[in-house]
Amino acid sequence: MSATGIGASVRRKEDHRYITGQGRYTDDINRPGQAHAWFLRSPHAHATLKSIDAKAAAAMPGVLGIFTGDDLAADKVGGLICGWMIHNKDGTPMRAGAHPALAQRKVRYVGDHVAVIVAETLAQARDASEAIVVDYGVLPAVVDTASAAGAKTVVHAEAPDNTVFNWHLGNKAETEAAFKAAKHVTKLDIVNNRLVPNPMEPRAAVGDYDQGEGAFTLYTTSQNPHVARLVLSAFIGIAPENKLRVIAPDVGGGFGSKIFIYAEETVCVWAAKKVGRPVKWTSDRTEAFLSDAHGRDHVTHAELATDADGKITALRVKTTANLGAYLSTFSSSVPTYLYAPLLSGSYDIPAIYAEVDAVYTNTAPVDAYRGAGRPEATFVVERLVEVAARQLGKDPAKFRMQNYVKKFPHQTPVIMMYDAGNYGASMKKALEIIDYKGIGKRKRDSARNGKLRGIGFSSYIEACGIAPSAAVGSLGAGVGLWESAEVRVNPVGTVEVLTGSHSHGQGHETTFAQLVSGKLGIPIENVSIVHGDTDKVQMGMGTYGSRSGAVGMSAIFKALDKVIAKGKKVAAYVLEADEADIDFADGHFKVKGTDKTLDFGSCALQAYIAHKFNGQDLEPGLKEGAFYDPTNFTFPAGVHICEVEIDPDTGVTAIERWAAVDDFGVVINPMIVEGQVHGGIAQGVGQALLEGAKYNADGQLVTASFMDYCMPRADDLPSFDVGMTVTPCPSNPLGIKGCGEAGAIAAPPAVINAITDALGHEDIAMPATPQAVWRAAQKTVKRMAAE
Amino acid sequence: MATVSMTVNGKAVTATVDPRTLLVQLLRENLRLTGTHVGCDTSQCGACVVHVDGKAVKSCTALAVSLDGASVTTIEGLATNGALHPMQEAFREHHGLQCGYCTPGMIMAAVDMVNRRGNDLDEKTIREDLDGNICRCTGYHNIVKAIAAGAEAMGGKVQVRQAAE
């Protein structure tokens, strides 16, 4: 292993600009003549828009324009789209209402977009918005996930019972038969709490219109600028793709929430032409809480069947998923194809049946948030398995190992074909790290101090490397999910790699450069990674679903192979040898069996000066592109074990130990991968202990600031013991599985299983706040006193 | 409009601003020092931390006109003569950042922590003292390591890389 190649913890190339304040985020960009946008948002969860009077506001100082949904409609600006078609059980398509960027006739959640005010300064735009008189016809709101279907209040006329779809997956008859034959059935009712992604950089957009060229530029906080351009062009109709440039510069975290094409970005780029000035909008945190797509929000009843030997024989779930007031870009795929296919977990379960109803409510749209469907599935499976082990009187680690998938490939009853893994190895390693043998003593020690100690397991699996295009197409996706790369070798042997992946914290500029440096045998300093600009980079699909390594780097790998192949042709002419006799290793082309060599940089120069070969026989230049379409999902898996100590007097849960053993396949940069695990666990612990978006019955979001929504802070978390096992992924050339979401998927059930172990009962929901745990612990304390 | 004069990163500046202008707006919009970030609207996240007369201040919560005559240091002014501050170096060495958005505030808060609490900081102290800064990417694990190493290196006895071992 070289100091900068695959497997080395290379310090990040991008860090210098971030630690010196030289990062360039969207809000740092200012265009000449720039004006500022402010959105007037609905204060009501559900209301008709009887009238909007903006006359007085339009006359206020600095105001350049005030626009409503009628203005967008008059310009034939299309609505926002949902890019994944789901079909009902009966084969009919899902029922989706329109999603205009600015509301037309009706508002459907608090924060919905009523009008945009463009002014010389942000303060002037905000002042003017207060002078707009809106006559709302306030309607009752439907908020609650479980009771939305069939409620009297209807969010969209297109879905008269508020149900977007009734969908199912798996084998119903086999599953029912297995439950009938079961020796034991474990049943759980589960609420997967609604979360707000909250990347630290709020969304922002600067729209610019070049009158001379008739071309738009949108600077925006996007995880996938090409997808944004595609949607803004082909569906919303801002401009043809060749007249619309989307730039996603440094982006301060995404976690899924910056995948989607939102109202504000759409309106900014449209308004830039309307007012003839660049238009900037930057979300404040309250707006982010109100209008960024939220995550999770499932209500589920789940059952697990076991036979007399403790073998799992079947699993069934009935889930209601809240999709909010409108269908966000990929919302429909999250509680369906990103959820139910993961219900087999790490286990060999012969029969599975899942039913999912998706509902509209008067709340913010819900879409992918770190893990997207897979955390919800993992929570169901790992809670069921843990509770089943307790009910059967089995050790939860042994019960899991008994039921693990052990032979690969393994076809589950719910689409997925697991290709490789060794779940038992991860479990064994995690048990060692956490010192499982010592847990009995530690529990007794805690009890002596009046504390309750518990240990909880989570043996997760996820489907990443999203995704084989034909497969997702057959399931309803509107796009292909390949990735692209172009490797441009400069005449002196430095390299630019243009990738369709986008980095918003993942460290691609380092990791991708490691691959290039290692494969071409050139210094890592000679490699630059270019991303995030549709004018520079060929069409690409962006970053989400832990796909940038497995899919994005595989595209780079393919393009590098082509560069080396072309280099061999060049070297053959220069070294006067047969192409078949040229080897490439350690940055040098060599003629087999001789000492004749050509270093990579010299080869590049020869390719460009083209003196040694005839242009008709070999094209000059050294630049190759590749598109990589995966052949399967990848299946990262691992075991996280959480140990907690609860103070029954205060309800405070302290995480005492955390062991994480993950199998991500081949790891390029262990330092970065461990960082992804840490961050994922923190978000998962946040879901389990602290975070929860709450709407009151009127549809007001009562957790719309960092004062009310509890973000994990440094003193809420422990340090983590992170270990790894490696079974290379067989389906891509690098053997990478992906690591971005694992922690967020693994952590919530590990925490809740630990808390319920400590409490001795299962009656606790997420977030397990001190108040909730205190209440739950009183039952435990009473029982202990009685004993 | 009001006129305010202060020293920012060692340079005297005078600006005419709307009286409601916040320090962070003066820095970002008038002086184009965009390293100081805004992550919330309730003084919770700490992305905007700068030093005012040597002490950490959330610049989203201070009116610019209230700081007439003050000396302000931002993340752009932390390195001296092109040499990174030991805390900056520690964040890079220990992978204490991912998306980089909270990082300037974290580093400025960390330097202030060392100024107040000394060079020998244990994990518990760092975690408690970091309560005013939110990071969504790192889970704090590596930030805590970076601050401990940066604190030690600020004492001058060891380099950041040695403090890491």
Side-chain angles (χ1 to χ4, degrees), chain A residues 80 99 108-110 112-113 194-195 197 260 262 289-295 322-329 331 361-368 695:
Chain A
L80 307 179
H99 188 182
R108 292 183 173 85
Y109 67 103
V110 172
D112 204 353
H113 314 72
R194 178 185 275 244
L195 304 175
F260 320 121
Y262 287 93
F289 272 101
L290 292 175
S291 67
D292 285 6
H294 293 180
N322 187 346
L323 296 183
Y326 299 97
L327 297 190
S328 174
T329 316
S331 57
T361 59
N362 294 113
T363 63
V366 177
D367 206 322
Y695 285 90

Side-chain angles (χ1 to χ4, degrees), chain A residues 148-191:
Chain A
K152 269 188 203 159
T153 301
V154 175
V155 182
H156 288 273
E158 292 85 347
D161 61 352
N162 290 326
T163 300
V164 185
F165 53 77
N166 305 107
W167 174 88
H168 66 160
L169 185 71
N171 188 318
K172 189 178 181 183
E174 279 180 29
T175 305
E176 280 176 3
F179 270 92
K180 271 189 195 137
K183 171 80 173 165
H184 182 82
V185 175
T186 301
K187 298 178 182 182
L188 275 182
D189 286 297
I190 289 169
V191 174

Side-chain angles (χ1 to χ4, degrees), chain A residues 361-691:
Chain A
T361 59
N362 294 113
T363 63
V366 177
D367 206 322
Y369 166 59
R370 200 171 194 169
R374 289 152 290 169
E376 295 91 314
T378 301
F379 194 79
V380 167
V381 174
E382 287 304 298
R383 285 289 293 137
L384 273 176
V385 167
E386 188 86 17
V387 174
R390 289 171 187 166
Q391 291 177 348
L392 296 169
K394 286 175 174 278
D395 176 87
K398 284 186 187 148
F399 181 63
R400 283 178 169 84
M401 287 198 270
Q402 178 191 353
N403 282 287
Y404 275 155
V405 172
K406 295 178 189 90
K407 284 186 190 154
F408 297 89
H410 172 81
Q411 177 64 55
T412 73
V414 277
I415 300 177
M416 293 301 179
M417 170 85 86
Y418 297 169
D419 51 9
N422 185 347
Y423 311 140
S426 297
M427 175 62 88
K428 279 177 198 148
K429 197 164 175 178
L431 291 173
E432 277 169 30
I433 292 174
I434 204 87
D435 181 22
Y436 190 50
K437 284 184 188 141
I439 182 63
K441 181 180 182 304
R442 295 197 295 277
K443 281 185 176 179
R444 288 191 294 277
D445 289 347
S446 294
R448 267 198 294 279
N449 295 323
K451 305 280 177 64
L452 307 168
R453 185 173 285 259
I455 192 163
F457 296 81
S458 175
S459 186
Y460 75 95
I461 189 167
E462 50 169 331
C464 294
I466 289 174
S469 298
V472 294
S474 74
L475 303 177
V479 290
L481 291 169
W482 44 265
E483 195 47 88
S484 71
E486 184 173 300
V487 176
R488 290 184 187 167
V489 184
N490 296 316
V492 289
T494 59
V495 173
E496 282 130 29
V497 176
L498 290 77
T499 171
S501 300
H502 185 278
S503 185
H504 27 282
Q506 295 90 340
H508 295 171
E509 290 169 46
T510 305
T511 306
F512 290 9
Q514 284 180 251
L515 167 64
V516 177
S517 162
K519 200 155 160 68
L520 297 182
I522 60 174
I524 196 166
E525 297 75 25
N526 290 4
V527 183
S528 295
I529 306 299
V530 180
H531 65 90
D533 184 340
T534 60
D535 262 18
K536 290 182 183 167
V537 180
Q538 69 290 339
M539 180 66 192
M541 293 309 297
T543 288
Y544 38 82
S546 303
R547 68 192 302 273
S548 299
V551 188
M553 288 182 82
S554 293
I556 297 173
F557 186 91
K558 257 182 94 175
L560 289 170
D561 273 344
K562 292 185 189 178
V563 165
I564 292 167
K566 173 79 181 284
K568 283 183 180 175
K569 290 183 198 292
V570 175
Y573 281 104
V574 176
L575 300 172
E576 296 174 337
D578 195 286
E579 186 190 329
D581 290 334
I582 306 282
D583 281 338
F584 181 71
D586 302 326
H588 288 78
F589 296 91
K590 288 179 190 155
V591 183
K592 279 177 199 162
T594 75
D595 59 357
K596 290 207 286 183
T597 71
L598 183 70
D599 68 84
F600 182 77
S602 302
C603 179
L605 186 63
Q606 290 293 339
Y608 283 99
I609 62 174
H611 292 170
K612 301 280 187 182
F613 52 89
N614 182 328
Q616 277 75 54
D617 298 330
L618 183 65
E619 280 182 26
L622 196 52
K623 173 183 86 91
E624 298 289 344
F627 285 73
Y628 174 78
D629 197 2
T631 55
N632 192 358
F633 290 85
T634 65
F635 298 98
V639 175
H640 287 218
I641 308 177
C642 169
E643 191 170 318
V644 300
E645 191 180 67
I646 292 169
D647 183 340
D649 294 334
T650 63
V652 170
T653 300
I655 296 175
E656 295 290 323
R657 293 173 184 222
W658 195 287
V661 178
D662 301 286
D663 179 358
F664 299 132
V666 173
V667 168
I668 308 293
N669 185 319
M671 175 191 81
I672 287 175
V673 167
E674 286 176 16
Q676 289 289 315
V677 175
H678 299 155
I681 294 171
Q683 288 181 354
V685 170
Q687 167 161 31
L689 293 181
L690 308 167
E691 299 178 42

